[in-house]
Amino acid sequence: MLNLTLTKWSKTIPAPTIKIMFTKTLKNMTTIKENSAKLKIIQNLTSSSNSSVLYYYATYSTLTAIGKEQEKNEEKVLLETNNERNTNIEENGIDSSWAGNHSSDGLVIRFREAIQEGNLKKLMMAHHALIKEQKGRQWQSHLKKSDYQDAIRLLSRFANFTQKATNPSPSTQTLASTTSVIYSLFNDMKKQGYKPDTSTYNRLIYMNSLKGDTKESRRIYEMMFEDKIKCTLYTFNSLILSYQWSLDIESALKVLEEMKLYGIKPDTVTLNSLIDIYVKLGDINQAERIYEEMKSNSTARMGNSLDKCDVIVDKFTLDCLLSGYLYYGHLNKAKNLFKDIKDSGIELDIHLYTKLLKIYCYEPGNSQKILNLFSQIKQHQQQEGNMKYFVNTLLDYLIKEKEFSNAVRVYEELMDIGFIHDVVTLTSIIPAYYHTGNVDIAFKLFNEKMNSFLCSQKIFSLFSNLGKKHSKKFLKQFASSSSKLHNSLITYFLTQDDITNALEMYSHLLQQGYFLNILNITILCKKLILQDKINEALQIYYQSKDHNIILDQRGYTILIDSFSKMTYMSESQRIFADMKEKGIKPNSYTYSSLIRGLGKIYDIQGVKTIHQLIRMDLNLDEFDIVIYNSLMDAYNRCGYGYDVLQLWDSLVIFSKESDLLVNNATVSIVLDSCGFNKQLFRLNQIWYDLKKRNFNLNQNNYASYIEALARNQKFNEAKKVLMFEMIDDGILPNSKMIRTLLSFLHDHSKNREQYEIINWVRTNFPFLAKELNLVNKKSNENITKSTSEKN
């Protein structure tokens, strides 16, 4: 029996950087890079409230539509009044014109017939007609409690809540109308004084969990308490599933604690959901702990028989953990886990085979191993949809290993059994045919899918597999589409920082009079500028002008920004003049790039000129913090502290009481300016005003304030801010901050204060002390000796 100890499960995420890594792909979460197949729980809805939960293995693409953004319009129908629901149903095109020809009893009969027949369209039409029949009168339903529950069961079984239902829903049915009818039936049921049973509540919780609506799942769950309806294991598993989508481990663990209060023990589904969350959050250690608990509670397998046990290690457990190991590069752990899989007797499916393939693909020289794996998997006759990712991964590895003949053999064997290739497959197989001398087949395959390649980024994979030299030869066969294809090749070379080949292709297109991609020209010039090849960049720019190729706003801004970063301000201003002459309107980033560049070379007249142009530019928004920050920084660099304070004051004046029109960068600039220009009164005034307004000060702001105080020899104040005020606000010091303050103290022979800060850092931040090399005994002894002598 499983004995879970929550105290040993950390409820905090130990690695923020990992959490950030996963957050950027939360909506389309996958535990494998690129197009990895990802297993997910699809629980089987049955009429029994205590029904077992089955697992189906689905590809990642099956479940990406769960994202809340795609559900916004659909969720508007939840919990509306009956009249509003009636309108929604009419908008979804349900024809109920026959409703007036039937009595209420007749409609009820049709309603029940629809349930018995499993006719979703008929059921919804009958329900709509019943609502219309009773419209404007006191509701007197002839439906029984079982009618409501059977209808909800039918609707939830057919509803395509994950955008890929097991049974296809009727073409006339939409997800929004199905959800609407389910809620309408549920509300009417409660209105008639019927208490929905556990199964009905479970369906609603599960329905919302599949959509990732944790708030609504929780609301339905709490409604069960109000109605004193018994919760089951299925209830809690469905609720945890909703937190699985949002990766809310805290809430999932709270649900686990609530299960214990009910005396319900977690099962395999429960723990698999927790493992999935931990893996996606990057907390592999916690996922492993749960896995070890599951292993210790699993009974030994005897052939295909298995003694009854609430918790077992199943395919999802292993697949999820393997995904985590592969994503984070724990190759040895992945290999050891596969040994566990083989020892357990679990039959490998396509997903586990794919994980094993990826383990082999991590290392060179495993071509024979993956070919043997292919021979094994062919015998399983897996579905094509599931096979595709496995095949594409295998072919890509063979190409990288230059096993072109084997790649062709595998592909042709697959074609013999009816495998249908896609563009990803062709990025490997076209180069395989080309390198084995079957160039006609390679050209034919590419010609057939040329548009698909041009409309996606997959053409870059094709170029990579062909090689730079062969890619140029390959494209010569397609003169009719040479312009787009060669521009794609230029883009590929630029992504590889191969300026030489990019220039060669650019010259070729220019000589042939083909269309030149503006973005390619821009990026090519940018890379040349950043490599300090100014003449080459200008040559390309003027060649483009000679061929009547006019850059767009983005193109001009990129060039101006690139020249400004390298402080080639005469060239930057020349490009800006061309931009204005061509009628291309600059944006805030165009102006900001110019201002930053002029500030770097201390050209105050240039800064003021651009500032004046900004005032006269009616196309710009009245307020743009990017421009304000650039201007303030440039004036500060040029020593014009008064102008910095003027700009700051204008921002503060136009700000609301609780909403300053500044960001942290603005704050640091004005604090630095006050420090450099000995504006001590304004420095403290600004700081205390920010604190009063509860502005969210960050580490850089504190660093600027401390440096400004130290620059004005307010060492005691600087020390107090560092050691007390900053720490109280929950901001930790960094090495730059400490080093700057110690430097000022050293310059003013403040040895006692130096020692005090060093001792404070050593005591409270040992890792920071080590980084600053403040653990050196001799260094500390010298400071102590110097302090004693001074005293």
Side-chain angles (χ1 to χ4, degrees), residues 292-317:
E292 292 301 327
E293 290 274 4
M294 293 175 76
K295 270 209 311 182
S296 64
N297 284 274
S298 297
T299 54
R301 289 178 177 269
M302 301 297 294
N304 292 325
S305 66
L306 179 66
D307 296 335
K308 187 176 180 181
C309 180
D310 291 333
V311 176
I312 62 169
V313 172
D314 67 0
K315 289 181 180 180
F316 182 87
T317 319

Side-chain angles (χ1 to χ4, degrees), residues 657-671:
E657 182 62 30
S658 58
D659 187 19
L660 276 170
L661 295 175
V662 300
N663 59 22
N664 292 105
T666 326
V667 171
S668 289
I669 292 167
V670 75
L671 294 177

Side-chain angles (χ1 to χ4, degrees), residues 241-485:
L241 176 62
S242 69
Y243 295 119
Q244 189 175 348
W245 292 120
S246 59
L247 301 183
D248 187 350
I249 189 62
E250 295 274 349
S251 299
L253 291 176
K254 285 178 183 176
V255 174
L256 194 64
E257 291 174 357
E258 290 171 18
M259 290 176 68
K260 287 189 171 184
L261 294 176
Y262 264 81
I264 296 174
K265 297 171 184 174
D267 67 349
T268 301
V269 176
T270 320
L271 300 185
N272 280 344
S273 294
L274 294 176
I275 288 176
D276 186 52
I277 298 173
Y278 276 126
V279 165
K280 288 174 180 175
L281 290 173
D283 195 346
I284 299 296
N285 291 334
Q286 291 288 16
E288 287 175 332
R289 288 181 187 178
I290 302 175
Y291 169 66
E292 292 301 327
E293 290 274 4
M294 293 175 76
K295 270 209 311 182
S296 64
N297 284 274
S298 297
T299 54
R301 289 178 177 269
M302 301 297 294
N304 292 325
S305 66
L306 179 66
D307 296 335
K308 187 176 180 181
C309 180
D310 291 333
V311 176
I312 62 169
V313 172
D314 67 0
K315 289 181 180 180
F316 182 87
T317 319
L318 299 165
D319 185 272
C320 189
L321 203 52
L322 275 170
S323 297
Y325 287 152
L326 290 171
Y327 187 90
Y328 293 107
H330 300 313
L331 196 57
N332 290 331
K333 286 186 176 182
K335 289 178 180 178
N336 292 333
L337 186 58
F338 243 102
K339 291 178 183 177
D340 287 354
I341 295 173
K342 292 178 180 178
D343 294 341
S344 67
I346 292 177
E347 183 181 356
L348 297 183
D349 64 2
I350 183 63
H351 301 283
L352 293 176
Y353 269 117
T354 303
K355 298 296 186 302
L356 183 56
L357 172 66
K358 288 183 75 66
I359 291 172
Y360 292 150
C361 289
Y362 260 81
E363 299 172 333
N366 284 335
S367 298
Q368 192 55 52
K369 286 183 179 179
I370 70 167
L371 288 171
N372 293 339
L373 200 62
F374 173 69
S375 299
Q376 294 175 36
I377 206 171
K378 266 200 313 177
Q379 300 171 6
H380 287 260
Q381 295 294 319
Q382 298 286 347
Q383 293 181 0
E384 179 192 318
N386 291 333
M387 277 283 288
K388 216 160 246 182
Y389 181 72
F390 178 91
V391 169
N392 289 339
T393 305
L394 183 147
L395 289 174
D396 183 67
Y397 180 80
L398 289 175
I399 298 302
K400 295 292 188 293
E401 292 287 293
K402 301 192 182 304
E403 294 279 350
F404 303 118
S405 298
N406 280 323
V408 169
R409 181 177 61 80
V410 167
Y411 174 74
E412 291 179 347
E413 285 183 26
L414 287 167
M415 296 298 288
D416 290 341
I417 61 175
F419 178 80
I420 300 175
H421 61 244
D422 60 7
V423 177
V424 179
T425 315
L426 294 180
T427 60
S428 297
I429 205 60
I430 288 174
Y433 275 122
Y434 182 85
H435 288 298
T436 53
N438 297 306
V439 291
D440 291 338
I441 299 176
F443 294 150
K444 181 184 176 185
L445 287 172
F446 181 76
N447 198 46
E448 289 173 357
K449 291 288 183 179
M450 187 186 301
N451 290 332
S452 298
F453 276 111
L454 290 172
C455 294
S456 70
Q457 300 294 314
K458 301 303 177 187
I459 195 165
F460 300 138
S461 298
L462 177 69
F463 292 147
S464 178
N465 289 333
L466 280 168
K468 294 175 182 178
K469 180 181 177 181
H470 293 287
S471 294
K472 290 185 285 186
K473 292 181 180 178
F474 187 86
L475 294 190
K476 288 180 181 179
Q477 306 298 319
F478 303 94
S480 59
S481 302
S482 183
S483 180
K484 286 185 178 179
L485 289 173

Side-chain angles (χ1 to χ4, degrees), residues 697-716:
L697 297 162
N698 64 14
Q699 191 182 64
N700 286 335
N701 299 149
Y702 271 100
S704 295
Y705 185 51
I706 290 169
E707 181 178 340
L709 288 171
R711 191 176 296 280
N712 287 273
Q713 300 182 42
K714 295 294 180 180
F715 300 118
N716 285 332

Side-chain angles (χ1 to χ4, degrees), residues 529 534 538 541-542 556-580 589-598 601 610:
I529 294 166
I534 306 304
L538 288 173
Y541 171 71
Y542 286 115
Y556 275 114
T557 300
I558 289 173
L559 290 188
I560 290 168
D561 183 63
S562 301
F563 279 121
S564 297
K565 281 179 178 174
M566 300 296 288
T567 63
Y568 287 103
M569 294 314 299
S570 59
E571 288 79 2
S572 183
Q573 289 170 300
R574 195 188 313 167
I575 301 293
F576 179 71
D578 284 351
M579 182 182 188
K580 299 279 285 183
Y589 292 98
T590 318
Y591 285 122
S592 297
S593 298
L594 279 168
I595 293 164
R596 282 194 296 268
L598 292 166
I601 63 172
I610 300 299

Side-chain angles (χ1 to χ4, degrees), residues 459-682:
I459 195 165
F460 300 138
S461 298
L462 177 69
F463 292 147
S464 178
N465 289 333
L466 280 168
K468 294 175 182 178
K469 180 181 177 181
H470 293 287
S471 294
K472 290 185 285 186
K473 292 181 180 178
F474 187 86
L475 294 190
K476 288 180 181 179
Q477 306 298 319
F478 303 94
S480 59
S481 302
S482 183
S483 180
K484 286 185 178 179
L485 289 173
H486 280 78
N487 271 295
S488 297
L489 188 55
I490 292 174
T491 305
Y492 170 71
F493 287 141
L494 290 173
T495 59
Q496 301 295 307
D497 286 327
D498 188 346
I499 303 297
T500 304
N501 274 310
L503 280 170
E504 182 185 330
M505 296 307 304
Y506 163 79
S507 300
H508 172 73
L509 287 179
L510 200 66
Q511 291 169 5
Q512 298 297 322
Y514 286 128
F515 163 78
L516 283 165
N517 185 297
I518 291 175
L519 184 59
N520 279 342
I521 294 171
T522 305
I523 301 302
L524 184 56
C525 288
K526 175 185 175 180
K527 287 185 177 291
L528 287 168
I529 294 166
L530 297 180
Q531 291 182 7
D532 214 15
K533 297 178 180 179
I534 306 304
N535 291 332
E536 290 90 333
L538 288 173
Q539 183 181 356
I540 291 173
Y541 171 71
Y542 286 115
Q543 278 180 341
S544 301
K545 283 184 66 178
D546 292 341
H547 286 78
N548 296 318
I549 299 171
I550 307 301
L551 300 183
D552 56 9
Q553 184 189 70
R554 179 175 60 169
Y556 275 114
T557 300
I558 289 173
L559 290 188
I560 290 168
D561 183 63
S562 301
F563 279 121
S564 297
K565 281 179 178 174
M566 300 296 288
T567 63
Y568 287 103
M569 294 314 299
S570 59
E571 288 79 2
S572 183
Q573 289 170 300
R574 195 188 313 167
I575 301 293
F576 179 71
D578 284 351
M579 182 182 188
K580 299 279 285 183
E581 183 185 334
K582 295 295 183 184
I584 308 297
K585 296 173 183 177
N587 59 21
S588 61
Y589 292 98
T590 318
Y591 285 122
S592 297
S593 298
L594 279 168
I595 293 164
R596 282 194 296 268
L598 292 166
K600 284 180 182 178
I601 63 172
Y602 312 109
D603 184 353
I604 186 60
Q605 193 56 50
V607 172
K608 288 185 175 183
T609 301
I610 300 299
H611 192 176
Q612 187 62 31
L613 286 174
I614 292 169
R615 288 195 183 101
M616 296 187 296
D617 194 333
L618 300 178
N619 296 304
L620 286 176
D621 294 334
E622 289 183 13
F623 167 76
D624 193 315
I625 194 61
V626 175
I627 289 180
Y628 269 92
N629 286 347
S630 300
L631 281 169
M632 289 172 66
D633 184 58
Y635 280 127
N636 183 36
R637 285 174 177 271
C638 296
Y640 281 68
Y642 177 76
D643 294 89
V644 176
L645 287 172
Q646 269 195 324
L647 288 167
W648 170 266
D649 289 338
S650 65
L651 287 172
V652 173
I653 289 169
F654 291 107
S655 296
K656 295 179 182 178
E657 182 62 30
S658 58
D659 187 19
L660 276 170
L661 295 175
V662 300
N663 59 22
N664 292 105
T666 326
V667 171
S668 289
I669 292 167
V670 75
L671 294 177
D672 288 339
S673 178
C674 288
F676 275 106
N677 293 285
K678 310 297 182 184
Q679 293 281 345
L680 190 60
F681 173 77
R682 289 305 309 273

